[in-house]
Amino acid sequence: MRVAIPTRDGRIESVFSRAEEFTIYDVEIELVKSKVIVPIGTKEFGNFLMDEAVNVMICGRIRSGSRNILRLKRVELIYGVSGEADDIMVRYLSGERLGDIDENAFWSKDEEGLE
């Protein structure tokens, strides 16, 4: 299984659309086997997911368009999460419930920093 987390300096990027890199964890039997940081570069998001064979995405705020892409690509999504990426992975693998979906419910373009 491959778990991707949009990160900046080891922390979850608070707004998904601002992500320039993803920390991708290869997980086997509830243990992290490897971790790589992959820049998204100029790749289209859907192609990036397929190229990196991502199964699970853990992130902060995410807009509905990106959520739909993840759903179409059959990627499990956990959002409304913040903190250090490595710590979040430990919590995820231990079965802890992550995320706050309500955090995403009422934010506007202004809150995302878009015009």
Side-chain angles (χ1 to χ4, degrees), residues 4 6 10 17 36 50 57 59 66 69 82 90-91 104 107 109 113:
S17 62
V36 293
M50 297 307 287
M57 179 71 66
C59 62
S66 296
I69 291 170
S82 62
V90 169
R91 291 171 52 200
N104 288 276
W107 58 291
K109 289 181 181 181

Side-chain angles (χ1 to χ4, degrees), residues 17-111:
S17 62
R18 294 183 188 158
E20 295 178 6
E21 67 183 28
F22 288 81
T23 302
I24 298 178
Y25 300 84
D26 285 301
V27 176
E28 230 176 82
I29 311 171
E30 298 180 4
L31 295 172
V32 174
K33 294 295 186 180
S34 67
K35 171 180 123 174
V36 293
I37 297 174
V38 180
I40 193 167
T42 59
K43 287 184 182 178
E44 188 270 329
F45 178 60
N47 291 336
F48 174 81
L49 291 171
M50 297 307 287
D51 291 349
E52 296 300 328
V54 172
N55 306 100
V56 178
M57 179 71 66
I58 301 173
C59 62
R61 295 180 183 178
I62 184 168
R63 301 180 88 192
S64 61
S66 296
R67 287 196 305 260
N68 289 337
I69 291 170
L70 289 163
R71 197 172 299 122
L72 287 171
K73 299 295 182 181
R74 301 198 189 288
V75 174
E76 178 186 348
L77 174 63
I78 300 167
Y79 59 99
V81 181
S82 62
E84 296 288 329
D86 290 346
D87 293 340
I88 295 301
M89 271 308 296
V90 169
R91 291 171 52 200
Y92 172 72
L93 292 174
S94 71
E96 185 176 328
R97 184 178 176 276
L98 300 172
D100 180 3
I101 294 172
D102 292 338
E103 176 182 312
N104 288 276
F106 299 107
W107 58 291
S108 67
K109 289 181 181 181
D110 293 337
E111 289 178 25

